[in-house]
Amino acid sequence: MTTLSSSIRFRSSRDREGEGESQAFLASGKERGKQRSWEQMMKEEGTQGEGRRFKVRQKLVAHRLKTKEILSKQAKRIAEQAEEHERFINKVTHLLGVLGFGAFCFLLGSRPQDSPYVYCLFYVTFVPLRWIYYRFKKWHYYLLDFCYYANTIFLVMLLMYPRSEKFFMVCFSFAEGPLAWALIVWRCSLVFSSPDKLVSVLIHLLPGLVFFTMRWWDPNMIAGIHHDQQAGYRTVWPHVEDKKTLWTWLFLVPLVAYTLWQVLYFLIVNVLRRQRLLRDPEVMTSYRELSKKAKKANNVWWRLSGLLGDQNRLLMYIVLQAAFTVATMALTVPIFMVYELHATFQILKVSAAVWNGGSFLLEVMPRQVVLKEKKKLEMQPIMCCESTDAQKQAATQNGPQTSEGAGNTQNALVDSS
């Protein structure tokens, strides 16, 4: 009996152990199933999340393209309307240009401290309008040129850091260096009847005039500076006599800023947008425009840019522009120090722009008018031929119907008789 009871106890304990193992196995299977379902659910959610992110990216790209298309269409529409009313716009521009330039000259003498605000208002108003017009003409890469880069820095300085002496000296070097001499060398023309030429001149001319007034005439800037007038010193802002400081902030730092612009310009135009420019030769850049004009005139710039061969003309253009920038920035040091030299330089700049404007009005514009009239006369025979062909086609199409109608009328008369 003892043996039987012990065997029964052994079997029952073994059965219980088997049941426990089976239950543990089932529990582990359920856990594995739960883990698999959880992993599968996470994978499905990840796939769905990637799909949603992809759809969102697609919508953003489509929205961006649609916005860009709408802006391009609006810019094109505005530019086309401007071309349709070109003569009227030129008359209005001439009137406003003369009055505005006269008012600005009056402001320079009466309230020189307000000239920076007038310049800022001009820049934020006309540069966006120029982008719209240039986008239609495929000239929008001109807005990456150094003059717009420098003018944007001027805007930041005048609105945010107007009392920073070192920042002022950097801007002074830009305005009275490359920008001022570009006005003379590239023959910018002060033509009040041409919005494009007027804005081009003012972008190069106004910054120098503003910084001239701030340095020598602005009462707010020089109010706290006192010098011995009997010794012949003039009250100026900023008052800098250390030559090292002068050459650092009028030459070295501006040269570093120019180099940064040159690197960015090369990366954007010649690397990132290279294929775009190759696909469309009508898109203009400064290099394309200058090389086109230099090649046509076969002038000294074309010969200098070809010293290393035609394949290296772009490199030579960059080198020549850098040499021009270095030379003009070095000249800003004596201009910064001597009032008489600075005032004479302002007269030289304005005189050059006015002289070039007179040359354009008396020499270039008459030729342009003649060419436009020739094109109109050449287009008139084409329009006449097209209208004649259209009339002939209409006559051939309407001819049988007319004869049929006449025959029906004759038959009706015969029948009535």
Side-chain angles (χ1 to χ4, degrees), residues 9 18 103 111 125 182 212 271 342-343 351 358 376 407:
R9 285 196 300 272
R111 294 186 60 84
T125 302
F212 174 82
V271 178
H342 199 181
S351 300
K376 287 182 180 179

Side-chain angles (χ1 to χ4, degrees), residues 6 33 61 74 78 81 147 176 200 208 232 246 261 272 275 294 306 317 362 391 413:
S6 63
V61 171
Q74 292 294 331
I78 293 171
Q81 291 176 356
C147 56
E176 298 294 50
S200 296
L246 283 173
W261 165 81
L272 298 178
Q275 297 300 323
Y317 172 75
L362 298 175
Q391 290 176 359
L413 291 173

